[in-house]
Structures are given as C-alpha cells and as structure tokens.
Amino acid sequence: MSELLQQLNPAQRRAVEAADGPVLVLAGPGSGKTRVLTHRVAYLIAERDVDPFNILAVTFTNKAAREMKDRLEALVGASAAQTLSMGTFHSLCARFLRRDIVHLERERDFVIYDSDDQQRLMRRVLRELNIDEKRNQPRAVLARISSAKNELVGPAEYADLKHVGLFESNVAKCYPRYQALLQEANALDFDDLLSETVRLFAQYPEVLAKYHDRFSALLVDEYQDTNRAQYLFIRHLAARQRNLFVVGDDDQSIYLFRGADVRNILQFEQDYPEAQVILLEQNYRSTQSILDSAQAVIHASHKPKHLKRLWTENGGGAQVRLHEGYDQDEEAAFVADEIVRLIAAGELAARDCAVMYRTNAQSRAVEEALIRRTLPYQIIGGTRFYERKEVRDMLAYLRVAHNPYDSVSLMRIINWPGRGIGERTEKDLERWATTLGVPIFQALRELEDPATSSPFAVRTITALLGFLHLLDELIAASKTLPIAELIERIVARVAARETLEREYDLLEAEDRWQNLVELRDVAEGYKNLPQENQLSTFLEEVALVAEVDKLDPNADKVTCITLHQAKGLEYGAVFLIGLEEGLLPHSRSVDDRDQLEEERRLLYVGMTRAQHKLYLCCATKRLNYGRTTVSRPSRFLADIPKALLHTPGRRSKAPAAPQATMFSPRSALGDKQPVVGSRYTRPSAAPPPSATRFAAGQQVRHATFGEGIVVTSRLVDGDEEVTVRFSDRERRLLASFANLELVE
DNA sequence: ATAAGGATGATTTTT
DNA sequence: TCATCCTTAT
Ligand SMILES: Nc1ncnc2c1ncn2[C@@H]1O[C@H](COP(=O)(O)OP(=O)(O)OP(=O)(O)O)[C@@H](O)[C@H]1O
C-alpha cells in the first residue's frame, strides 16, 4: 500500500481511493475531512496519473490553498504543484474572469471593490437619486443587493419582484444605477466575481467547454457553506465529467447571512444520484469530554439526516470547564490567568491557546488582559491592515494609476492631501460627470479644453487640473516602475509623510507612516512578476486576502479570533467567551428560527476546535455601548449535561467595590487562581477521572523530554497532574497534554 | 475651505 | 464607548 494511504483510517482511505465520479464525504468535526481532501489530490496525481494542471480544488481560505500546495510540492515537485488551480471561490473566479471577462464585454484589468468602496459608491447613487441616506443606509441597501447577486438576481429581475415597503423599492431603484457605475469604473464587487463567472458559464457554452476540457477533477472543501452562485459555479464545471469530490458537515454551516444554503450539501445525492457517500466517524482532534459536550449542544435541537456518530481514541481528558465571571474584564482576566497557568505547567505554549468570540468588539477586554500579563498574542479580524485610512489612500493612488476610471478611488484621493478641493467642488464634479455620463477622470480631462463650459470657478479648475496632471504622471510611472518604487514616487509627490505629520500628532503620524512602509515592503514581493501583471496581481491579492490568511501558526502567540473565522482550525486549549444571551445567540438572531439554529452551530464549531482543553466562559454583567447591562448565560449551555461540566467554586461575593477594581488592574480573581480543592461547592456530578492513570515509580516517555520516572500523580482541577523526573530535572505535566506513554 | 466642538447613533458574523 | 455627522467659527 502506498505510503500516502497509510496515514488514513479505512473509511478515509475509501474516500481517497473512490472511483471517479461524484463523491460526498459527510462527516463531523475533526474527522479528517480536510486531510482526506488533500490526500485525494495527492492520490490523483501520484496513483491515477492526473496532471495537476487538470485539477481544481476550492479551499475555504487562500491560506489553506497555499498550505496544501506546499505539502503537495514535496510529492510532485514545485513546478507541477504550481499548475494546480487551488484557492477560494473568489480568487478562482477572479482568475477565470481575468481570462474570459471580455466575452461579457468587460475589460480584463477590472478592479475589485471591497465593502468600503461599495459603500462610497452606494452613497453616490443615493445622492444622485435623491434617496435619504438615513432611512436607506448604504450598508443595508448593499446587503439586499448582495443577497440578490448571490441568488443571481440581476437589477432587471430584481425590479420585477414584489417589493414590500419603501425600502425595497428604493433598493430596486439603486441596484441598476449601482451596477452601471461599477461597470463605468471597470470594477466588480465581491459578489460580481461569483455571479459574473456563473453568467459567463451559463451564456457562453464554448467558454465553459474550455474549462471542461481543462478540469477533469474538481474538489470542494466546506461544501456546506456554499451559496447559490458558488453552487452553480461548481455545477457548471462538473456538468460534463461529473467528477466532483466534496467534503463538509451540515452541522458546521455558519454562513447563512451571506447566502450559504445547507441544502446544497444535503441534496448532493439528488443532484448526483450516482454519488458515493462516505461517512467518517472517528474524531482525531478532541478528547471524549469535549466531544460529548459539543454533541450535546448540537443534538439538542435537531435530527441529523445522516447520523454522524463521533468517537475518539484520544481518551476522556479533562472535563470541559465552565467559568461564570463577574464582568467582561474579570472574564478576560480569568482567561489570561488560566493561559499563564497552563503555560507555566508546561506542555502548552501560547501558540496552542485560542480565545474565540462572537463579535470582534469582544476582543478588546481580552487584549487588555493579555497585555497586562505580557502574553504574546495575535488578533485576527477587527480593523484590518488594508482598511486603515492611510493604507487605503495609498492603494487608491495605485488603483487610479492602474485604472483611472475607478471613480471611487479617484474621489477618495482628490483632496488627500488637501489641495483646496472641498466638499462643494466634489459634489459638483460628481454631478457634472453624471450629466456628461462619463467617469470622473474623463470629466476632468474635459476641463483641459478652456472652451468647455463647466460649473467651476477658474481657481477651482486650476486645482482640478493640477490633480489631473499628477494622475497623468503617475499613470505613466505605473507602466515602467515596479510597485514598490511607484509607491515611493507617490509618497514623494504627495509628501505623504509630511501630510501625516500635519494631520496627526507625533506618535500617531509615525504609526501611520510605518503602515505605508509596511505596504511598500509587501509590494516588494511582487517585483519579480512581469511588469504588466504586477499592479493588477498586487491589487487583486490585496482585495481578496482574508483575515485568517494572515494568521501565523508558527508565531508563539495566543490567537484571538471570531467563531466564524475559527472554522477549520484547531488548538490545544480553546476559551469561548461571552456565552450569554444576546451575544451567543446574538440578539439580532433570536427571532428567527434558522438564524437561532445557526448560532447553536457556531457554538458547536467553536467547541470542536479544542483538542485537549475547553473553557466555556460567560459574565453576569457586560459593558455594551458604554452602558453596563446584566446578562444571563446562553440558553445553549443548558443543553450540556451538568455531569460533563466542571464548575469550580464560585466566589460567593461580588468582587471588590468598583473603586478597588478601578485602581487595581488585576481583577478580583486575578491573584488567587486557581481555586483548586477549595471549600467551594464542587460540581454536583461525579468528579471526572476518579483514579490516576499514573503512579509513582512508573517509567514513562514524553515526545520532547524523553524517558522519566513518575514521582507523584494527583487529580487536579479535572485533570491529572503528573510529576516526572527527567534526566535534567523534574517537571509537572498535565496528563491530557503531555501524551505520556508508559514504558514497559 | 477647513478646523473644532458637540450631538447622535450604531456593532453580528465576511469574501 | 467610540466614531461619524452636523453645526459653527475662523
Ligand atoms: N487518520 C488519521 N490519523 C491521525 N490523525 C488524523 C487522521 N485523520 C485526521 N487526523 C488529524 O485530525 C485533525 C483534524 O483533521 P481535519 O482538520 O482534516 O478534520 P476536519 O474533518 O476537516 O475537521 P473540521 O470539520 O472540524 O474542520 C488534524 O489534526 C488531522 O491531522
């Protein structure tokens, strides 16, 4: 048997070796779905002689694609691995469209508009159509349009739908204009990447045929979270050869809000009646305690279609621990103290710990607590690097240099740095361009002719032309300079550093300047690409990086991440915080049954990220928009049998008076952790492992420290603490982490 | 045209 | 709380 298959259990092997044709691997968390998908790709190349060039694999993140490629390099060589088509739906679609969007009468050097660009564009649309921005918030309008696009409903079809209320008919008015302006700017928004590709496939069979010729094997990870457009994308591609391998778990579907439809995976067998369905039941990630608790949460509400029993050989492990804190600061303090304790106990590094939450705002308290204890950390999400103002301004210059019709970017920088072009002028310019029916850049060009009648004063025209000529210069420069040098040119021409120093105080200016330096450093990485592709590749990748792509698993840091982004990841110890009514389930999701169930799945996803230790945390009071509110534990916690949870004795009194907490950075529990073996109430259920697995005198082996002799072993805090004398010194280890082997 | 200051209102989750 | 919007003064 090939070495490739030896790392798999029989069910996994069956999936990897399945004959050509549709295959559905439906399995719970930690059962090795992603592993199976990777091995399937390797297997096709190594054993079935499939050329990597003919394989298309959709991963959930760009990072997953990169990692998979790296791993496959070892197997098939770097150059072959590079010919694999692997990436997210969005990046694959962008790649296809660069090639074939001309069929849709659009140009291939389109830019990708992200949500900030979209909002700016929508504001212009609302202004133009005289629609009130307060009652019809750009974000809300865009959200409707986004769902429409995900369902492949274009502006015309949308207008034909029944509209309830003023808001919806306003959306119907905005949609066509928004789309027209996108086209004028030669821009596509995120949703267009998918819907336009599907339109391309549907309307141009000869184009689709080309892709059929190329891709003989298709693979999709996290299939349960595909939306209609993504589903159709795959269905078109799979139509001829029907050689489609998908993996997923309906219990982990958490992207309903962006149009994901779990029916895509549940109806796979109807779509492909000849499909082989393979269930994986062994979980390799988590301990039994974690698995039991997680399953209690997910099974409390529904009846699975395919019964996915999950079991593990990882052993019982420590009980899942429930911590009810006083407020969000005490909750964060508990988490941070516990991480400190776990690291001090050995076996567990900062990189093995993750703190997960429902909303990004919750990361703040955690961040502060981690800083206070000087724990290294990385926060995924929140304000992204590419969303910082100064970075976006610089990117706007690059984008206009690359595609001057990008009016959103142009308007962004028309007065940055200040050149005496005020709000009034901006509005007039927009209106004037609209009347002329041309992009802003074109309108500016008209001003060059003194005979043109425009709504501007002579002084204003001078300022506008000055800006236009700056752009001309940068456009010319962009044709010859590598990106990093182009950035330097822009920095010099607009006196970026001085501008920042004028706008902000010293510290802030330096900070923002450093961001520009960092952007230039990123750009350096593109200097070896051919000049004509550099800028477009750079801009595309910048637009499509996901936050998780930036997660660095090698850095020894605690990871703070939203539950959504944590999908697919795993950590030794996981802390889920804010498990309260209003937060999880989130208050905006409680009235809708489907949304409520999704909140439950979100918790399930979070719990099943944990390998050895899982902490469920909530607080009784929380600061919510500057106002303290009382909160109750999440209803989902009630679905976990008490016997599975370890709730260490709670303090009977509220922590010190508010003044005291204000002056002492550490919260009430801070210094007194842990409350082990205290007189406080023990959990009503039988304490977990009632006997130690190890005894004094036994010889054991540890992966890093080698062989040693057990000195003592005792039960602590739901886990077993083993003291072992190794050749260099004694160490106290937690049995659930240490993976100690008995030596005969 | 811009800077400063006060009222106001918003936070789910993401490519 | 914090960021954005709106008013007013320069
Ligand atoms: N046959 C196996 N032998 C040993 N370890 C395995 C095996 N299969 C999977 N694993 C390990 O189990 C863990 C989970 O695997 P993987 O991430 O592929 O699961 P998954 O089903 O995709 O999980 P999820 O749905 O939660 O994202 C990984 O650490 C993986 O290396």
Side-chain angles (χ1 to χ4, degrees):
Chain A
M1 189 203 310
S2 91
E3 201 184 318
L4 200 62
L5 298 172
Q6 275 170 13
Q7 306 161 19
L8 301 171
N9 69 33
Q12 293 174 328
R13 206 174 300 146
R14 239 180 331 116
V16 168
E17 293 182 299
D20 281 358
V23 177
L24 166 64
V25 177
L26 190 63
S31 56
K33 294 184 295 298
T34 304
R35 189 189 184 96
V36 162
L37 189 106
T38 315
H39 279 72
R40 171 78 173 181
V41 174
Y43 174 83
L44 290 175
I45 298 169
E47 306 286 330
R48 296 255 179 92
D49 287 328
V50 179
D51 187 336
F53 181 77
N54 299 125
I55 297 176
L56 178 130
V58 185
T59 56
F60 199 66
T61 63
N62 291 304
K63 192 158 99 81
R66 238 186 342 264
E67 285 172 1
M68 224 180 262
K69 264 190 185 172
D70 289 346
R71 246 173 276 155
L72 289 168
E73 271 187 14
L75 188 82
V76 299
S79 57
Q82 288 316 311
T83 68
L84 270 166
S85 295
M86 221 183 240
T88 61
F89 278 107
H90 287 89
S91 55
L92 288 167
C93 286
R95 239 175 282 165
F96 291 179
L97 289 176
R98 293 263 176 237
R99 216 178 173 73
D100 288 308
I101 199 168
V102 280
H103 296 285
L104 299 175
E105 264 134 57
R106 309 246 345 215
E107 282 161 60
R108 64 157 37 105
D109 56 350
F110 59 84
V111 288
I112 299 168
Y113 271 9
D114 66 16
S115 33
D116 186 78
D117 303 315
Q118 293 180 48
Q119 275 182 51
R120 283 165 180 266
L121 188 59
M122 186 52 73
R123 276 205 206 96
R124 176 171 170 193
V125 171
L126 292 167
R127 273 198 301 271
E128 245 181 51
L129 301 177
N130 270 318
I131 296 173
D132 178 29
E133 276 191 49
K134 278 269 148 58
R135 296 172 57 93
N136 306 272
Q137 292 212 359
R139 301 164 39 114
V141 178
L142 285 164
R144 286 302 172 90
I145 293 180
S146 173
S147 341
K149 287 184 177 180
N150 287 157
E151 298 287 325
L152 297 166
V153 175
E157 293 102 312
Y158 192 88
D160 290 341
L161 297 174
K162 266 208 300 287
H163 302 299
V164 270
L166 197 58
F167 176 69
E168 281 190 12
S169 45
N170 281 334
V171 173
K173 276 190 231 159
C174 293
Y175 192 179
R177 185 61 188 149
Y178 170 75
Q179 209 56 27
L181 283 178
L182 275 177
Q183 181 145 4
E184 184 191 86
N186 193 16
L188 272 72
D189 66 20
F190 285 134
D191 304 310
D192 285 338
L193 291 174
L194 304 173
S195 58
E196 292 296 272
T197 308
V198 171
R199 192 157 74 86
L200 179 73
F201 288 165
Q203 294 181 359
Y204 298 88
E206 69 282 8
V207 176
L208 180 59
K210 210 174 64 180
Y211 287 92
H212 284 158
D213 291 341
R214 166 153 183 192
F215 295 117
S216 59
L218 307 172
L219 303 96
V220 187
D221 199 1
E222 305 279 10
Y223 192 69
Q224 76 281 358
D225 269 327
T226 49
N227 63 31
R228 177 98 194 138
Q230 293 165 334
Y231 164 82
L232 289 173
F233 171 79
I234 289 300
R235 217 176 64 170
H236 279 302
L237 284 175
R240 193 201 286 167
Q241 316 206 26
R242 301 172 78 82
N243 192 16
L244 172 62
F245 189 94
V246 307
V247 310
D249 177 7
D250 50 321
D251 289 333
Q252 293 187 67
S253 154
I254 53 173
Y255 280 100
L256 196 94
F257 74 92
R258 64 176 194 202
D261 188 345
V262 70
R263 282 175 304 183
N264 292 342
I265 197 167
L266 295 177
Q267 295 180 357
F268 190 83
E269 293 163 85
Q270 271 116 285
D271 291 338
Y272 304 94
E274 75 274 33
Q276 304 173 65
V277 179
I278 293 164
L279 308 180
L280 307 178
E281 300 190 322
Q282 180 170 4
N283 173 297
Y284 289 92
R285 179 180 296 140
S286 312
T287 63
Q288 193 67 51
S289 306
I290 292 169
L291 226 45
D292 288 345
S293 309
Q295 304 227 77
V297 168
I298 202 70
H299 289 152
S301 80
H302 79 154
K303 347 76 204 115
K305 180 182 174 209
H306 294 270
L307 185 62
K308 281 168 288 174
R309 283 178 310 251
L310 271 184
W311 56 276
T312 181
E313 285 176 350
N314 292 349
Q319 263 183 310
V320 174
R321 180 147 167 201
L322 180 65
H323 175 84
E324 190 167 355
Y326 174 65
D327 61 12
Q328 75 278 331
D329 293 323
E330 197 273 326
E331 177 185 53
F334 164 75
V335 169
D337 284 334
E338 194 64 17
I339 292 174
V340 168
R341 194 179 71 82
L342 290 171
I343 293 172
E347 289 330 293
L348 178 60
R351 71 161 66 79
D352 303 316
C353 301
V355 184
M356 301 178 186
Y357 34 79
R358 177 68 231 267
T359 66
N360 283 304
Q362 291 170 260
S363 66
R364 261 200 55 187
V366 179
E367 179 173 21
E368 283 168 14
L370 293 173
I371 289 174
R372 224 171 271 143
R373 288 158 188 78
T374 64
L375 280 165
Y377 65 92
Q378 52 185 336
I379 294 183
I380 308 302
T383 350
R384 313 158 180 219
F385 178 69
Y386 293 111
E387 281 171 9
R388 310 243 163 95
K389 183 182 177 303
E390 64 282 5
V391 174
R392 291 200 61 101
D393 288 339
M394 180 54 65
L395 286 173
Y397 273 102
L398 294 175
R399 283 161 61 154
V400 174
H402 179 241
N403 165 26
Y405 295 155
D406 176 354
S407 299
V408 169
S409 296
L410 189 149
M411 291 307 287
R412 207 190 149 92
I413 50 172
I414 197 166
N415 200 34
W416 190 88
R419 4 179 119 78
I421 299 170
E423 218 171 315
R424 176 70 203 282
T425 308
E426 291 179 18
K427 297 270 154 65
D428 286 347
L429 179 59
E430 255 177 23
R431 239 193 314 271
W432 188 51
T434 303
T435 330
L436 295 177
V438 298
I440 308 282
F441 183 76
Q442 192 67 42
L444 289 175
R445 182 69 74 208
E446 299 291 322
L447 289 175
E448 278 187 322
D449 180 356
T452 308
S453 77
S454 74
F456 305 109
V458 179
R459 227 188 51 203
T460 313
I461 294 185
T462 314
L464 290 173
L465 286 180
F467 177 61
L468 175 66
H469 296 140
L470 169 66
L471 295 186
D472 284 336
E473 182 191 324
L474 295 177
I475 291 167
S478 75
K479 307 268 191 266
T480 57
L481 294 181
I483 309 167
E485 281 177 44
L486 182 59
I487 292 177
E488 283 163 17
R489 173 72 63 89
I490 297 167
V491 164
R493 282 298 270 109
V494 306
R497 189 163 195 177
E498 293 74 9
T499 304
L500 290 173
E501 280 164 0
R502 194 157 10 92
E503 289 177 342
Y504 305 99
D505 65 48
L506 213 68
L507 227 67
E508 177 96 33
E510 178 58 20
D511 213 44
R512 291 175 185 259
W513 169 248
Q514 283 310 320
N515 287 331
L516 291 186
V517 172
E518 189 177 334
L519 184 68
R520 195 214 37 209
D521 292 345
V522 175
E524 282 281 349
Y526 291 76
K527 66 169 173 231
N528 293 328
L529 295 178
Q531 176 68 30
E532 65 274 19
N533 298 343
Q534 266 194 28
L535 202 43
S536 66
T537 310
F538 175 72
L539 292 174
E540 175 177 317
E541 288 184 10
V542 161
L544 295 181
V545 270
E547 273 309 294
V548 255
D549 293 335
K550 287 188 251 158
L551 191 145
D552 181 357
N554 299 316
D556 190 18
K557 295 174 177 173
V558 176
T559 299
C560 304
I561 192 170
T562 62
L563 289 165
H564 281 93
Q565 308 209 82
K567 184 161 80 157
L569 305 178
E570 60 187 18
Y571 292 91
V574 170
F575 297 83
L576 301 181
I577 63 169
L579 303 183
E580 296 146 34
E581 286 296 302
L583 225 37
L584 189 76
H586 196 274
S587 47
R588 321 260 292 210
S589 303
V590 285
D591 337 299
D592 180 294
R593 235 192 92 85
D594 292 340
Q595 285 185 39
L596 182 67
E597 283 315 302
E598 180 151 304
E599 300 285 306
R600 179 189 294 282
R601 293 194 293 272
L602 214 38
L603 175 58
Y604 179 65
V605 166
M607 293 175 80
T608 54
R609 299 308 94 198
Q611 296 173 303
H612 310 294
K613 290 227 152 192
L614 175 62
Y615 296 82
L616 306 175
C617 311
C618 58
T620 47
K621 278 191 344 182
R622 188 169 292 274
L623 198 62
N624 260 339
Y625 318 97
R627 207 164 285 284
T628 300
T629 50
V630 184
S631 39
R632 299 184 311 108
S634 167
R635 66 190 75 182
F636 303 137
L637 291 175
D639 293 325
I640 307 173
K642 292 283 167 293
L644 293 175
L645 294 177
H646 175 54
T647 315
R650 269 203 284 142
R651 302 175 60 84
S652 44
K653 278 192 258 235
Q659 300 97 303
T661 20
M662 264 172 65
F663 291 115
S664 91
R666 318 206 69 185
S667 83
L669 280 186
D671 303 305
K672 308 199 172 166
Q673 284 288 319
V675 224
V676 171
S678 71
R679 63 204 157 80
Y680 296 113
T681 48
R682 294 194 70 72
S684 51
S690 51
T692 56
R693 268 174 60 216
F694 299 96
Q698 283 176 327
Q699 187 162 15
V700 292
R701 184 174 20 243
H702 179 272
T704 325
F705 305 133
E707 291 192 0
I709 306 281
V710 175
V711 181
T712 57
S713 185
R714 62 196 184 106
L715 294 173
V716 168
D717 213 13
D719 199 335
E720 185 176 351
E721 185 189 89
V722 194
T723 309
V724 182
R725 185 162 52 241
F726 292 100
S727 54
D728 55 340
R729 63 181 177 87
E730 263 180 32
R731 284 187 173 78
R732 286 199 298 185
L733 308 171
L734 284 178
S736 70
F737 280 109
N739 230 327
L740 289 172
E741 277 172 60
L742 273 176
V743 180
E744 256 62 61

